[in-house]
Amino acid sequence: MNIETQRKNIVHRILDVENTSLLSKIEKLLDDEVFTYKTDGTAMTKKDYQIHILKVLQASEEGEIGYSTAEAKAKIKRK
């Protein structure tokens, strides 16, 4: 079974689910799926990543000083 067929089968099964508890579990499973990883290897969900980006943008708008491009490159090269 290819991924497209599997995806369609799952969608049809979910549409028939009447159990709200099961739907909540499916939703949590999808929400907790790994979206990306931090530089230290820690997994991040999509929600975690969005929160992280919002914090970075807020810090930037508040004038907090981060790394210069050269500092960031040097830090990455050391890992």
Side-chain angles (χ1 to χ4, degrees), residues 53-65:
I53 294 298
L54 287 174
K55 286 180 180 177
V56 169
L57 290 173
Q58 182 180 6
S60 175
E61 287 175 3
E62 291 174 357
E64 290 186 30
I65 299 173

Side-chain angles (χ1 to χ4, degrees), residues 13-14 18-19 25-27 29 37 40 42-43 45 47 49-50 52 62 69-70 73 76 79:
R13 289 178 66 189
I14 290 173
E18 299 286 333
N19 182 330
K25 288 177 184 178
I26 293 168
E27 186 174 34
L29 179 66
Y37 294 88
D40 66 1
T42 306
T45 64
K47 187 175 184 178
Y49 183 69
Q50 289 171 331
H52 172 73
E62 291 174 357
T69 302
K73 284 182 182 178
I76 291 169
K79 291 199 178 225

Side-chain angles (χ1 to χ4, degrees), residues 3-4 15 21 23 40 48-49 52 63 65-66 78:
I3 192 157
E4 190 62 33
L15 290 173
S21 175
L23 289 173
D40 66 1
D48 293 336
Y49 183 69
H52 172 73
I65 299 173
R78 279 187 249 134

